[in-house]
Amino acid sequence: GILLMKSFSLVKVILLILSALALAEEIPGFDTVMPVTEAVLDCIEQTGRRTLLFRGFMFPGKPDMVGIKNAKLANTRGIVGLYFSPNARLDPKKQVEEFVKAVNEIQQDMEVKVFINTEDPKFWTNDIPANRKFAEGLADAMKGNDQIMLLAIMTSQKSYETIFGSDYQGFSDMFVVYVHHDGSPHKTDFKPFGGWKKPVGKQYSPNQQLCGIVANLDTVFTDITRQNPISMNSII
């Protein structure tokens, strides 16, 4: 009986450790287009959300100074990134140049983590080969800039396949944050697409009230600051 109790206790300890490790891989966060203040960031910090994503570039093709200022203000608060919503009908290299110039106007040589937003097909053309060529040019321009330390795609499977086609795997060397508004912060619903076997993050709940702002709720599944800034291989 004592041996059975000890074995049961050991199993409980192992299960608790495994549970803690699983939770440690899930870092709660948010993304927003709204301006934030120190007071808002203090409030959000109390909620435990440590991945902060702001819009750095917006359709129809210009930097979002509100989002870039947010990123500077939040720079020491956790994992801070800027998402980039491009205009696929304009020159990709020039858009990256304008974005980096705007970042430097707010804070010279500020390193940024960039998430390319391909969630909304209406910002893209109906020409799949043209969309692929544009996005590759955009990614190449970003990879060639020393200030951009991490690249990821933010998309849903449906949007990705509408924009780039179901057979396209041209961005599988980058991280993916997938969009699935099922209300669950976990990745058990993820199905491989675009060459990605595992996601680095998930946007799971849109347009929520958070400390006085409207935000989408996200989860990051691994500490992306410790990963190879370009390659997915380190988390597969």
Side-chain angles (χ1 to χ4, degrees):
I2 294 173
L3 183 60
L4 185 62
M5 286 180 64
K6 285 184 177 179
S7 298
F8 182 69
S9 297
L10 182 60
V11 169
K12 283 180 69 178
V13 169
I14 291 171
L15 288 173
L16 285 170
I17 290 171
L18 291 174
S19 177
L21 288 172
L23 289 173
E25 292 179 354
E26 294 189 353
I27 306 171
F30 72 95
D31 64 88
T32 187
V33 300
M34 296 184 69
V36 298
T37 62
E38 291 281 8
V40 168
L41 292 172
D42 287 342
C43 174
I44 291 171
E45 194 169 311
Q46 293 300 312
T47 72
R49 296 194 174 274
R50 297 189 290 114
T51 58
L52 304 85
L53 187 57
F54 307 106
R55 185 173 62 187
F57 199 88
M58 57 185 173
F59 191 87
K62 64 178 182 178
D64 185 338
M65 303 307 289
V66 169
I68 296 171
K69 289 176 182 177
N70 284 346
K72 179 185 177 182
L73 190 65
N75 206 25
T76 61
R77 301 275 187 159
I79 301 169
V80 179
L82 289 166
Y83 71 86
F84 194 108
S85 298
N87 185 339
R89 296 166 182 82
L90 300 179
D91 184 282
K93 187 176 180 180
K94 287 184 178 178
Q95 291 180 74
V96 173
E97 289 172 351
E98 289 174 12
F99 167 68
V100 172
K101 181 182 177 183
V103 168
N104 285 329
E105 286 176 3
I106 300 301
Q107 182 172 326
Q108 187 68 32
D109 299 324
M110 181 169 72
E111 294 180 351
V112 290
K113 300 175 181 67
V114 175
F115 297 71
I116 300 172
N117 183 14
T118 62
E119 170 54 16
D120 197 336
K122 73 173 178 284
F123 295 159
W124 296 75
T125 73
N126 295 321
D127 185 337
I128 286 177
N131 289 338
R132 292 178 180 183
K133 183 178 180 181
F134 169 85
E136 288 166 1
L138 188 72
D140 286 344
M142 289 184 177
K143 289 176 183 178
N145 190 284
D146 291 339
Q147 283 181 245
I148 298 174
M149 301 307 295
L150 179 139
L151 284 179
I153 300 288
M154 176 179 278
T155 192
S156 65
Q157 182 174 357
K158 182 179 180 180
S159 293
Y160 181 88
E161 293 179 353
T162 298
I163 295 167
F164 301 116
S166 60
D167 61 334
Y168 188 62
Q169 299 188 10
F171 307 120
S172 59
D173 64 331
M174 296 162 59
F175 294 113
V176 65
V177 175
Y178 74 108
V179 178
H180 186 202
H181 295 153
D182 62 349
S184 169
H186 311 302
K187 59 183 175 182
T188 50
D189 59 302
F190 180 78
K191 297 177 181 178
F193 71 97
W196 290 296
K197 298 176 183 177
K198 292 184 180 180
V200 77
K202 175 184 180 181
Q203 182 189 99
Y204 65 88
S205 187
N207 302 322
Q208 299 297 308
Q209 290 291 328
L210 179 66
C211 294
I213 64 169
V214 177
N216 304 314
L217 303 185
D218 311 322
T219 305
V220 165
F221 299 119
T222 185
D223 186 346
I224 54 179
T225 60
R226 296 176 187 168
Q227 303 297 338
N228 183 314
I230 299 298
S231 177
M232 274 287 291
N233 294 332
S234 56
I235 62 169
I236 291 175

